Amino acid sequence: MVDIRPSAPTDGARVVEIWNRAVDATHDFLTPSDRAAIGGEVAEFLPDVPLVLAVDADDRAVGFMLVDGSHMEALFIDPDSRGQGVGRALVAHALSSQPGLTTDVNEQNAQAVGFYERIGFVATGRSDLDGQGRPYPLIHLRHQPV
């Protein structure tokens, strides 16, 4: 089981590590140059952004989520902790205050698409480009309570 807590300045290096490990495990569709560029952007801003963390019994982050209003901007889980309910716990936490939560997912990330569908998100649209204008289509999702 994981605990959920807000991030602290001391969590910065760990959340960047989680992002890198998660992307390397799931985003094989990125070109090497895009992977490097996005990684550089993430390393610059992610440590200073208020995040919601899933932490283990030792208070070590194993996943994180970035929520802006009712939109989940990011959800990344350390590959060593995937399949253990970490993502579900983070999304449940967000849904407790934002029942109409929305998010976007890379269309090529079939594992993530399946995860969101299994926990009640439905597609509401699609974009040919990602948020930075790169050629990585996004599926726009909204949680539908059952």
Side-chain angles (χ1 to χ4, degrees):
M1 195 59 160
V2 296
D3 289 321
I4 307 293
R5 69 165 173 82
S7 61
T10 55
D11 296 311
R14 177 64 181 145
V15 297
V16 170
E17 177 186 7
I18 290 170
W19 185 90
N20 280 304
R21 288 175 43 80
V23 167
D24 289 345
T26 61
H27 289 60
D28 58 354
F29 52 88
L30 294 175
T31 66
S33 62
D34 283 344
R35 169 60 179 89
I38 296 166
E41 294 165 10
V42 166
E44 281 185 31
F45 81 85
L46 192 60
D48 299 321
V49 175
L51 303 169
V52 177
L53 303 183
V55 297
D56 63 15
D58 296 322
D59 198 42
R60 183 173 189 260
V62 295
F64 70 87
M65 173 176 61
L66 171 59
V67 177
D68 183 12
S70 63
H71 188 74
M72 183 171 44
E73 297 285 347
L75 176 67
F76 289 91
I77 309 303
D78 188 289
D80 292 340
S81 297
R82 286 181 54 207
Q84 299 175 23
V86 175
R88 281 182 182 270
L90 284 165
V91 172
H93 177 80
L95 287 170
S96 70
S97 62
Q98 298 293 335
L101 192 66
T102 61
T103 195
D104 299 320
V105 64
N106 288 104
E107 187 175 72
Q108 300 102 316
N109 188 346
Q111 295 171 15
V113 172
F115 166 77
Y116 287 117
E117 289 173 346
R118 285 189 302 278
I119 63 171
F121 283 80
V122 296
T124 60
R126 181 184 181 279
S127 300
D128 289 332
L129 305 175
D130 70 10
Q132 290 74 40
R134 293 182 179 102
Y136 302 109
L138 297 175
I139 300 172
H140 309 295
L141 304 167
R142 177 178 298 281
H143 188 261
Q144 297 293 321
V146 286

